């Protein structure tokens, strides 16, 4: 269940990033993203915890299999949410890159510094690592705890052990914490009611009026 808490960090950080840009960059509001993905995180956590508890506290093979199946459902749901999250991030990134030349000033800070770019790349790498690990867990438990993949030490060390994907994702988010820049960027971000103050010009857009 470790990825659930890291994905919560990513989801909340993503919603804060969106506050730094006008509403038209995103298909939904930051609050909507937060509610959808955090609720999905909670559902995935409940399913995995319930399945794991059932599988670990019974000696009945049938109940063990039921618990394993519940865990796989929770993990599969988590993978689906991570894929959706990745697609939303890519969509917004492409929208920002397509329009960034029309804007000026620090209200659009995505590529304003190399340090900030590294932090977002760290978030992206952490997301991919968590997705890989969760996908591996689905494949690992799809045939039960006694499957060949579930007992392969090499894959366990690489994807589950101390030097595995989750540890690396946590290290990346520690070394490249996006929040340190995001809170500074929020000081110059758009406030509700100001998002639409984009004057049309011959080229497309002009900077907002302060």
């Amino acid at each position: 269940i470790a990825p659930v808490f890291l994905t919560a960090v990513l989801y909340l950080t993503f919603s804060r990033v969106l506050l730094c840009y006008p509403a038209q960059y995103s298909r939904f509001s930051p609050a909507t993203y937060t509610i959808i993905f955090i609720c999905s995180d909670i559902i995935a956590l409940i399913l995995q915890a319930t399945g794991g508890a059932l599988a670990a506290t019974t000696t009945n093979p049938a109940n063990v299999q039921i618990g394993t199946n519940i865990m796989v459902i929770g993990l599969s749901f988590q993978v689906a949410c991570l894929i959706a999250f990745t697609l939303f991030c890519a969509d917004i990134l492409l929208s920002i890159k397509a329009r960034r030349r029309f804007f000026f000033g620090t209200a659009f800070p995505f590529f304003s510094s190399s340090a900030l770019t590294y932090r977002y790349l760290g978030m992206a790498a952490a997301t991919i690592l968590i997705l890989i690990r969760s996908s591996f867990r689905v494949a690992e438990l799809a045939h039960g705890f006694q499957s060949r993949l579930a007992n392969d030490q090499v894959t366990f060390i690489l994807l589950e052990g101390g030097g595995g994907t989750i540890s690396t994702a946590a290290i990346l988010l520690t070394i490249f914490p996006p929040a340190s820049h995001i809170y500074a960027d929020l000081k110059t971000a758009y406030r509700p009611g100001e998002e639409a103050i984009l004057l049309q010009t011959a080229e497309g857009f002009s900077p907002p009026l302060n």
Side-chain angles (χ1 to χ4, degrees), residues 54-69:
L54 181 60
T57 57
T58 182
T59 57
N60 186 327
N63 290 336
V64 171
Q65 186 59 49
I66 292 174
T68 303
N69 291 341

Side-chain angles (χ1 to χ4, degrees), residues 120-141:
Y120 287 134
L121 289 176
M123 277 185 62
T127 302
I128 293 172
L129 287 170
I130 295 171
L131 180 58
I132 291 172
R133 188 268 188 183
S134 298
S135 300
F136 166 73
R137 286 289 283 171
V138 172
E140 179 187 33
L141 297 178

Side-chain angles (χ1 to χ4, degrees), residues 90-115:
D91 177 62
I92 292 170
L93 174 60
L94 291 175
S95 179
I96 292 172
K97 289 189 68 176
R99 295 181 174 89
R100 60 182 288 220
R101 68 189 182 89
F102 295 126
F103 297 94
F104 304 87
T106 58
F108 302 91
F110 191 88
F111 294 103
S112 59
S113 69
S114 59

